[in-house]
Coordinates of all heavy atoms in Angstrom, one line a residue:
M857 N 53.8 -39.0 68.5 CA 52.8 -39.9 69.1 C 52.1 -40.8 68.1 O 51.7 -40.5 67.1 CB 51.9 -39.3 70.0 CG 52.2 -39.4 71.5 SD 50.9 -38.8 72.4 CE 51.7 -37.6 73.4
A858 N 51.8 -42.0 68.5 CA 51.1 -43.0 67.6 C 49.7 -42.7 67.5 O 49.0 -41.9 68.3 CB 51.3 -44.4 68.1
V859 N 49.1 -43.1 66.4 CA 47.7 -42.9 66.2 C 46.9 -44.2 65.8 O 47.7 -45.2 65.4 CB 47.3 -41.9 65.0 CG1 48.0 -40.5 65.4 CG2 47.9 -42.3 63.6
V860 N 45.7 -44.3 66.0 CA 45.0 -45.5 65.6 C 44.1 -45.2 64.4 O 43.2 -44.5 64.5 CB 44.1 -46.1 66.8 CG1 43.2 -47.3 66.4 CG2 45.1 -46.6 67.9
R861 N 44.3 -46.0 63.4 CA 43.6 -45.8 62.2 C 43.3 -47.2 61.6 O 44.3 -48.0 61.5 CB 44.2 -44.9 61.1 CG 44.5 -43.4 61.6 CD 43.2 -42.5 61.5 NE 43.6 -41.2 61.9 CZ 43.7 -40.7 63.1 NH1 43.5 -41.5 64.0 NH2 44.1 -39.4 63.4
C862 N 42.2 -47.4 60.8 CA 42.0 -48.6 60.1 C 43.0 -48.3 58.8 O 43.3 -47.3 58.4 CB 40.6 -48.9 59.7 SG 39.9 -47.7 58.6
V863 N 43.1 -49.5 58.0 CA 43.7 -49.4 56.8 C 43.2 -48.5 55.8 O 43.9 -47.8 55.1 CB 43.9 -50.9 56.3 CG1 44.7 -50.8 54.9 CG2 44.8 -51.8 57.1
Q864 N 41.9 -48.5 55.7 CA 41.2 -47.7 54.6 C 41.5 -46.2 55.0 O 41.8 -45.4 54.1 CB 39.8 -48.0 54.6 CG 39.4 -49.4 54.0 CD 39.3 -50.4 55.1 OE1 40.0 -50.4 56.2 NE2 38.7 -51.6 54.8
C865 N 41.2 -45.8 56.2 CA 41.5 -44.4 56.4 C 42.8 -43.9 56.5 O 43.1 -42.9 55.8 CB 40.9 -44.0 58.0 SG 39.1 -44.1 58.1
M866 N 43.8 -44.8 56.7 CA 45.2 -44.3 56.7 C 45.6 -44.3 55.2 O 46.5 -43.6 54.9 CB 46.1 -45.2 57.5 CG 47.4 -44.7 57.7 SD 47.5 -43.1 58.3 CE 47.9 -43.2 60.0
S867 N 45.0 -45.1 54.3 CA 45.4 -45.0 52.9 C 45.0 -43.6 52.3 O 45.6 -43.2 51.3 CB 44.9 -46.2 52.1 OG 43.5 -45.9 52.0
V868 N 44.0 -42.9 52.9 CA 43.7 -41.7 52.4 C 44.6 -40.6 53.0 O 45.0 -39.7 52.3 CB 42.1 -41.4 52.8 CG1 41.8 -40.0 52.5 CG2 41.2 -42.3 52.3
S869 N 44.8 -40.5 54.4 CA 45.5 -39.5 55.0 C 46.9 -40.1 55.7 O 46.7 -40.4 56.8 CB 44.8 -38.7 56.0 OG 44.5 -39.5 57.0
R870 N 48.0 -40.2 55.0 CA 49.1 -40.8 55.6 C 49.8 -40.1 56.7 O 50.2 -40.6 57.7 CB 50.1 -41.2 54.5 CG 49.6 -42.4 53.7 CD 50.8 -43.3 53.3 NE 50.3 -44.6 53.0 CZ 50.6 -45.6 53.9 NH1 51.3 -45.6 54.9 NH2 50.1 -46.8 53.5
E871 N 49.9 -38.7 56.5 CA 50.5 -37.9 57.5 C 51.8 -38.4 57.9 O 52.3 -38.2 59.2 CB 49.5 -37.8 58.8 CG 48.1 -37.4 58.5 CD 47.2 -37.7 59.6 OE1 47.4 -37.5 60.7 OE2 46.0 -38.3 59.3
G872 N 52.5 -39.0 57.1 CA 53.9 -39.4 57.4 C 54.1 -40.6 58.3 O 55.1 -41.1 58.6
Y873 N 52.9 -41.4 58.5 CA 52.9 -42.6 59.2 C 53.1 -43.8 58.2 O 52.3 -43.9 57.4 CB 51.7 -42.8 60.0 CG 51.5 -41.8 61.2 CD1 50.8 -40.7 61.0 CD2 52.0 -42.1 62.4 CE1 50.5 -39.9 62.0 CE2 51.8 -41.2 63.5 CZ 51.1 -40.0 63.3 OH 50.9 -39.1 64.2
R874 N 54.2 -44.4 58.4 CA 54.5 -45.5 57.4 C 54.6 -46.9 58.1 O 54.4 -47.9 57.4 CB 55.8 -45.2 56.7 CG 55.9 -43.9 56.0 CD 57.1 -43.7 55.1 NE 57.3 -42.4 54.8 CZ 56.5 -41.8 53.8 NH1 55.5 -42.5 53.2 NH2 56.7 -40.6 53.4
I875 N 54.8 -46.9 59.3 CA 55.0 -48.1 60.1 C 53.8 -48.4 60.9 O 53.3 -47.5 61.5 CB 56.3 -48.1 61.0 CG1 57.5 -47.8 60.2 CG2 56.3 -49.4 61.7 CD1 58.0 -48.9 59.3
H876 N 53.3 -49.7 60.9 CA 52.1 -49.9 61.6 C 52.2 -51.2 62.4 O 53.0 -52.1 62.0 CB 50.8 -49.9 60.9 CG 50.7 -51.1 59.9 ND1 51.1 -51.0 58.8 CD2 50.2 -52.4 60.2 CE1 50.9 -52.2 58.1 NE2 50.4 -53.1 58.9
A877 N 51.6 -51.3 63.5 CA 51.6 -52.6 64.3 C 50.2 -53.0 64.7 O 49.3 -52.2 64.8 CB 52.4 -52.3 65.6
E878 N 50.0 -54.3 65.0 CA 48.6 -54.6 65.4 C 48.6 -54.7 66.9 O 49.5 -55.1 67.6 CB 48.5 -56.3 64.9 CG 48.3 -56.3 63.4 CD 48.0 -57.8 63.0 OE1 48.0 -58.6 63.9 OE2 47.9 -58.0 61.7
P879 N 47.5 -53.9 67.4 CA 47.4 -54.1 68.9 C 47.1 -55.4 69.3 O 46.7 -56.3 68.5 CB 45.9 -53.3 69.1 CG 45.7 -52.6 67.8 CD 46.6 -53.3 66.7
I880 N 47.6 -55.7 70.6 CA 47.4 -57.1 71.1 C 45.9 -57.3 71.0 O 45.0 -56.6 71.3 CB 47.7 -57.0 72.7 CG1 49.2 -56.8 72.9 CG2 47.3 -58.5 73.4 CD1 50.2 -57.8 72.4
G881 N 45.5 -58.5 70.6 CA 44.2 -58.8 70.4 C 43.5 -58.4 69.0 O 42.3 -58.8 68.8
Y882 N 44.2 -57.8 68.2 CA 43.6 -57.2 67.0 C 43.2 -58.4 66.1 O 43.8 -59.5 66.0 CB 44.8 -56.6 66.2 CG 44.3 -56.0 64.9 CD1 43.8 -54.8 64.8 CD2 44.5 -56.7 63.7 CE1 43.4 -54.2 63.4 CE2 44.1 -56.2 62.4 CZ 43.7 -55.0 62.4 OH 43.3 -54.5 61.2
P883 N 42.0 -58.4 65.4 CA 41.1 -57.2 65.3 C 40.0 -57.3 66.3 O 39.0 -56.6 66.1 CB 40.7 -57.2 63.9 CG 40.6 -58.9 63.6 CD 41.7 -59.5 64.5
E884 N 40.0 -58.2 67.2 CA 38.8 -58.3 68.1 C 38.9 -57.5 69.3 O 37.9 -57.3 70.1 CB 38.6 -59.9 68.6 CG 38.1 -60.8 67.4 CD 39.3 -61.3 66.6 OE1 40.4 -61.4 67.1 OE2 39.0 -61.7 65.5
A885 N 39.9 -56.8 69.6 CA 40.2 -56.3 71.0 C 39.3 -54.9 71.1 O 39.3 -54.5 72.2 CB 41.7 -55.9 71.0
G886 N 38.7 -54.5 70.1 CA 38.0 -53.3 70.4 C 38.7 -51.9 70.3 O 38.2 -50.9 70.8
V887 N 39.8 -51.9 69.7 CA 40.6 -50.7 69.4 C 40.0 -50.2 68.1 O 40.3 -50.9 67.1 CB 42.1 -50.9 69.5 CG1 42.8 -49.7 69.3 CG2 42.4 -51.5 70.8
I888 N 39.5 -49.0 68.1 CA 38.8 -48.7 66.9 C 39.4 -47.4 66.2 O 40.0 -46.6 67.0 CB 37.3 -48.2 67.3 CG1 36.6 -49.4 67.9 CG2 36.5 -47.7 66.2 CD1 36.5 -50.6 67.0
C889 N 39.4 -47.4 64.9 CA 39.9 -46.3 64.2 C 39.5 -44.9 64.7 O 38.4 -44.8 65.2 CB 39.4 -46.4 62.7 SG 39.9 -45.1 61.6
G890 N 40.5 -43.9 64.7 CA 40.1 -42.6 65.3 C 39.4 -41.7 64.3 O 39.1 -40.5 64.8
M891 N 39.2 -42.0 63.2 CA 38.5 -41.1 62.2 C 37.0 -41.0 62.6 O 36.3 -42.1 62.8 CB 38.6 -41.6 60.7 CG 40.1 -41.4 60.3 SD 40.8 -39.8 60.3 CE 40.1 -39.1 58.8
P892 N 36.5 -39.8 62.5 CA 35.1 -39.6 62.9 C 34.1 -40.5 62.0 O 34.5 -40.4 60.7 CB 34.8 -38.1 62.6 CG 36.1 -37.5 62.7 CD 37.0 -38.5 62.2
G893 N 33.3 -41.3 62.6 CA 32.3 -42.0 61.8 C 32.9 -43.3 61.4 O 32.0 -44.1 60.7
C894 N 34.0 -43.7 61.7 CA 34.6 -45.0 61.2 C 34.5 -45.8 62.4 O 35.1 -45.5 63.5 CB 36.0 -44.6 60.7 SG 36.7 -46.4 60.2
E895 N 34.2 -47.1 62.2 CA 34.2 -48.0 63.4 C 34.9 -49.4 63.2 O 34.7 -50.3 63.7 CB 32.7 -48.3 63.9 CG 32.1 -47.1 64.4 CD 30.7 -47.3 65.0 OE1 30.2 -48.4 65.0 OE2 30.1 -46.4 65.5
R896 N 35.8 -49.2 62.1 CA 36.6 -50.5 61.8 C 37.8 -50.6 62.8 O 38.2 -49.7 63.4 CB 37.2 -50.3 60.3 CG 36.1 -50.4 59.3 CD 36.8 -50.5 58.0 NE 37.2 -49.1 57.6 CZ 36.4 -48.4 56.6 NH1 35.4 -48.9 56.1 NH2 36.7 -47.2 56.4
P897 N 38.2 -51.9 63.0 CA 39.3 -52.2 63.9 C 40.6 -51.2 63.5 O 40.8 -51.3 62.2 CB 39.6 -53.6 63.9 CG 38.3 -54.3 63.1 CD 37.7 -53.1 62.4
G898 N 41.2 -50.8 64.5 CA 42.3 -50.0 64.2 C 43.7 -50.5 64.3 O 44.0 -51.4 65.2
L899 N 44.6 -50.1 63.5 CA 46.0 -50.5 63.8 C 46.7 -49.3 64.3 O 46.3 -48.3 64.2 CB 46.6 -50.8 62.3 CG 46.1 -52.1 61.5 CD1 46.7 -52.0 60.1 CD2 46.6 -53.3 62.3
V900 N 47.9 -49.5 65.0 CA 48.6 -48.6 65.5 C 49.7 -48.0 64.6 O 50.5 -48.9 64.2 CB 49.3 -49.0 66.9 CG1 50.1 -47.9 67.5 CG2 48.2 -49.4 67.9
W901 N 49.7 -46.7 64.3 CA 50.7 -46.2 63.2 C 51.6 -45.4 64.0 O 51.2 -44.6 64.8 CB 49.8 -45.4 62.2 CG 48.9 -46.4 61.3 CD1 47.6 -46.7 61.7 CD2 49.2 -46.9 60.1 NE1 47.1 -47.5 60.8 CE2 48.0 -47.5 59.8 CE3 50.2 -46.9 59.2 CZ2 47.9 -48.3 58.5 CZ3 50.1 -47.5 58.0 CH2 49.0 -48.1 57.6
M902 N 52.8 -45.4 63.6 CA 53.8 -44.6 64.2 C 54.9 -44.0 63.2 O 54.8 -44.5 62.1 CB 54.6 -45.4 65.3 CG 55.2 -46.7 64.6 SD 55.4 -48.1 65.9 CE 53.8 -48.8 65.8
R903 N 55.6 -43.0 63.6 CA 56.5 -42.4 62.7 C 57.8 -42.0 63.5 O 57.7 -42.1 64.7 CB 56.0 -41.2 62.0 CG 55.5 -40.2 62.9 CD 54.6 -39.0 62.1 NE 54.1 -38.2 62.9 CZ 53.2 -37.2 62.5 NH1 53.0 -37.1 61.3 NH2 52.7 -36.4 63.4
G904 N 58.8 -41.7 62.8 CA 60.0 -41.0 63.4 C 60.6 -42.0 64.4 O 60.7 -43.2 64.1
R905 N 61.0 -41.6 65.6 CA 61.8 -42.3 66.6 C 61.0 -43.5 67.1 O 61.5 -44.7 67.3 CB 62.1 -41.5 67.7 CG 62.9 -42.1 68.8 CD 63.3 -41.0 69.8 NE 63.9 -41.7 71.0 CZ 64.4 -41.0 72.0 NH1 64.5 -39.8 71.8 NH2 65.0 -41.6 73.0
E906 N 59.7 -43.4 67.2 CA 58.9 -44.5 67.8 C 58.8 -45.6 66.6 O 59.0 -46.7 67.1 CB 57.4 -44.1 68.0 CG 57.3 -43.2 69.3 CD 55.9 -42.9 69.7 OE1 55.0 -42.6 68.7 OE2 55.5 -42.9 70.8
A907 N 58.7 -45.2 65.4 CA 58.7 -46.3 64.4 C 60.1 -47.0 64.4 O 60.1 -48.2 64.3 CB 58.5 -45.7 63.0
M908 N 61.3 -46.3 64.6 CA 62.5 -47.0 64.6 C 62.6 -47.9 65.8 O 63.1 -49.0 65.6 CB 63.5 -45.9 64.8 CG 64.6 -46.0 63.7 SD 65.7 -44.4 63.8 CE 66.1 -44.3 65.6
E909 N 62.2 -47.5 67.0 CA 62.2 -48.2 68.2 C 61.3 -49.6 68.0 O 61.8 -50.6 68.5 CB 61.9 -47.4 69.3 CG 62.8 -46.4 69.7 CD 62.4 -45.6 70.9 OE1 61.2 -45.5 71.2 OE2 63.3 -44.8 71.3
Y910 N 60.2 -49.4 67.4 CA 59.3 -50.5 67.2 C 60.0 -51.5 66.2 O 60.1 -52.8 66.4 CB 58.1 -50.1 66.7 CG 57.1 -51.3 66.2 CD1 56.6 -52.1 67.2 CD2 56.9 -51.6 64.8 CE1 55.9 -53.2 66.9 CE2 56.1 -52.8 64.5 CZ 55.6 -53.5 65.6 OH 54.8 -54.6 65.2
V911 N 60.6 -51.0 65.1 CA 61.1 -52.0 64.1 C 62.4 -52.7 64.7 O 62.6 -53.8 64.5 CB 61.6 -51.1 62.8 CG1 62.5 -52.0 62.0 CG2 60.3 -50.7 62.1
Q912 N 63.1 -52.0 65.6 CA 64.3 -52.6 66.3 C 63.8 -53.5 67.4 O 64.6 -54.2 67.9 CB 65.2 -51.6 67.0 CG 65.9 -50.7 65.9 CD 66.5 -49.5 66.4 OE1 66.2 -49.1 67.5 NE2 67.3 -48.8 65.6
G913 N 62.6 -53.5 67.6 CA 62.0 -54.5 68.7 C 62.2 -54.1 70.1 O 61.9 -54.9 71.0
S914 N 62.5 -52.8 70.3 CA 62.8 -52.4 71.7 C 61.5 -51.7 72.2 O 61.5 -51.4 73.4 CB 63.9 -51.3 71.8 OG 63.7 -50.2 70.9
K915 N 60.5 -51.4 71.4 CA 59.3 -50.8 72.1 C 58.0 -51.5 71.6 O 57.8 -51.6 70.4 CB 59.4 -49.5 71.6 CG 58.3 -48.5 72.3 CD 58.6 -47.0 72.2 CE 57.5 -46.2 72.8 NZ 57.8 -44.8 72.9
T916 N 57.2 -51.8 72.5 CA 55.9 -52.3 72.0 C 54.7 -51.7 72.8 O 53.6 -52.1 72.7 CB 55.9 -53.9 72.2 OG1 56.1 -54.1 73.7 CG2 56.7 -54.7 71.4
C917 N 55.0 -50.6 73.5 CA 53.9 -49.8 74.3 C 54.0 -48.4 73.8 O 55.1 -47.7 73.8 CB 54.1 -49.9 75.6 SG 52.9 -49.1 76.8
F918 N 52.9 -47.9 73.3 CA 52.9 -46.6 72.7 C 51.8 -45.7 73.2 O 50.6 -46.1 73.3 CB 52.6 -46.7 71.2 CG 53.8 -47.4 70.5 CD1 53.7 -48.8 70.3 CD2 55.0 -46.6 70.0 CE1 54.8 -49.4 69.7 CE2 55.9 -47.3 69.4 CZ 55.9 -48.7 69.3
P919 N 52.1 -44.5 73.7 CA 51.1 -43.6 74.0 C 50.3 -43.1 72.8 O 50.9 -43.1 71.7 CB 51.7 -42.4 74.6 CG 53.2 -42.5 74.1 CD 53.5 -43.9 73.7
L920 N 49.0 -43.0 72.9 CA 48.2 -42.6 71.7 C 48.0 -41.1 71.7 O 47.9 -40.4 72.8 CB 46.9 -43.3 71.7 CG 46.9 -44.9 71.6 CD1 45.5 -45.5 71.8 CD2 47.6 -45.2 70.4
N921 N 47.9 -40.5 70.6 CA 47.8 -39.1 70.3 C 46.3 -38.8 70.6 O 45.4 -38.7 69.8 CB 48.1 -38.7 68.9 CG 48.2 -37.3 68.7 OD1 47.9 -36.5 69.6 ND2 48.5 -36.9 67.4
A922 N 46.1 -38.5 71.9 CA 44.6 -38.4 72.3 C 44.5 -37.4 73.6 O 44.2 -37.8 74.5 CB 44.0 -39.6 72.6
G923 N 45.1 -36.2 73.4 CA 44.8 -35.2 74.5 C 46.0 -35.2 75.5 O 47.1 -35.8 75.3
K924 N 45.8 -34.6 76.6 CA 46.8 -34.3 77.6 C 47.4 -35.6 78.4 O 48.5 -35.6 78.7 CB 46.3 -33.4 78.8 CG 46.5 -31.9 78.2 CD 46.3 -30.9 79.4 CE 46.6 -29.5 79.0 NZ 46.2 -28.5 80.1
R925 N 46.4 -36.5 78.6 CA 46.8 -37.7 79.2 C 46.4 -38.8 78.4 O 45.4 -39.5 78.7 CB 46.2 -37.8 80.8 CG 46.9 -36.7 81.6 CD 46.3 -36.9 83.1 NE 47.0 -36.0 84.0 CZ 47.0 -34.7 84.0 NH1 46.2 -34.0 83.2 NH2 47.7 -34.0 84.9
P926 N 47.2 -39.1 77.4 CA 46.8 -40.1 76.5 C 46.8 -41.5 77.1 O 47.6 -41.8 78.0 CB 47.9 -39.9 75.3 CG 49.1 -39.4 76.1 CD 48.5 -38.5 77.2
A927 N 46.0 -42.4 76.5 CA 46.1 -43.8 77.0 C 47.3 -44.3 76.2 O 47.8 -43.8 75.2 CB 44.8 -44.5 76.4
K928 N 47.6 -45.6 76.7 CA 48.8 -46.3 76.0 C 48.4 -47.6 75.6 O 47.4 -48.2 76.1 CB 50.0 -46.5 77.1 CG 50.6 -45.2 77.4 CD 51.7 -45.3 78.4 CE 51.3 -45.5 79.9 NZ 50.5 -44.3 80.4
I929 N 48.9 -48.2 74.5 CA 48.5 -49.4 73.9 C 49.6 -50.3 73.8 O 50.7 -49.8 73.2 CB 47.7 -49.0 72.6 CG1 46.9 -50.2 72.1 CG2 48.5 -48.3 71.5 CD1 45.9 -50.0 71.1
L930 N 49.3 -51.6 74.0 CA 50.4 -52.5 73.7 C 50.2 -53.2 72.3 O 49.1 -53.3 71.8 CB 50.3 -53.7 74.7 CG 50.8 -53.4 76.0 CD1 50.5 -54.6 77.0 CD2 52.3 -53.2 76.1
V931 N 51.3 -53.3 71.6 CA 51.3 -53.9 70.3 C 51.9 -55.2 70.2 O 52.9 -55.5 71.1 CB 51.8 -52.9 69.1 CG1 50.9 -51.7 69.2 CG2 53.2 -52.7 69.3
K932 N 51.6 -56.0 69.1 CA 52.4 -57.3 68.8 C 53.9 -56.9 68.4 O 54.1 -55.8 67.8 CB 51.8 -58.1 67.8 CG 50.3 -58.5 68.2 CD 49.7 -59.3 67.1 CE 48.2 -59.5 67.5 NZ 47.3 -60.0 66.3
L933 N 54.8 -57.8 68.7 CA 56.2 -57.6 68.5 C 56.3 -57.4 67.0 O 55.8 -58.0 66.1 CB 57.1 -58.7 68.9 CG 57.7 -58.6 70.3 CD1 58.3 -60.0 70.6 CD2 58.7 -57.5 70.2
S934 N 57.3 -56.6 66.6 CA 57.8 -56.4 65.3 C 58.4 -57.7 64.6 O 59.0 -58.4 65.3 CB 58.9 -55.3 65.1 OG 59.4 -55.3 63.8
E935 N 58.0 -58.1 63.4 CA 58.4 -59.4 62.8 C 59.7 -59.2 62.0 O 60.0 -58.2 61.4 CB 57.4 -60.0 61.9 CG 56.2 -60.5 62.7 CD 54.9 -60.9 61.9 OE1 55.1 -60.8 60.7 OE2 53.9 -61.1 62.5
Ligands
ZN2362 ZN1 38.9 -45.8 59.7

């Protein structure tokens, strides 16, 4: 599942996430980095199959890693 992290936090703990996408409306949309204490605008980071589907342009809606019934977020198309 995708996670939301700002660039600074993700540069510290990559956790295998190499591909990122901008949420629709980024950076004004109010999607905030998931690290405790951080309030910077977040990018959507993905890995594995989701990253592949995003790069291929077939997926732009991602569930977020946030508990049993995660929210989903739309991202801008892969360039
Ligand atoms: Zn952050």
Side-chain angles (χ1 to χ4, degrees):
M857 253 188 234
V859 298
V860 173
R861 299 283 185 274
C862 70
V863 174
Q864 289 91 333
C865 289
M866 193 49 106
S867 69
V868 176
S869 69
R870 286 217 153 251
E871 303 163 47
Y873 293 94
R874 300 189 193 288
I875 302 291
H876 70 267
E878 294 185 355
I880 299 291
Y882 178 88
E884 287 88 21
V887 183
I888 300 299
C889 174
M891 292 301 279
C894 180
E895 295 186 353
R896 286 185 283 259
L899 293 166
V900 177
W901 296 80
M902 58 209 82
R903 59 186 174 187
R905 184 174 167 173
E906 285 187 323
M908 233 168 53
E909 290 172 344
Y910 174 69
V911 170
Q912 290 167 352
S914 61
K915 186 167 183 172
T916 53
C917 182
F918 296 90
L920 295 176
N921 190 359
K924 274 193 175 171
R925 290 186 170 72
K928 293 177 280 299
I929 190 165
L930 287 171
V931 300
K932 298 175 189 174
L933 266 176
S934 172
E935 287 169 9

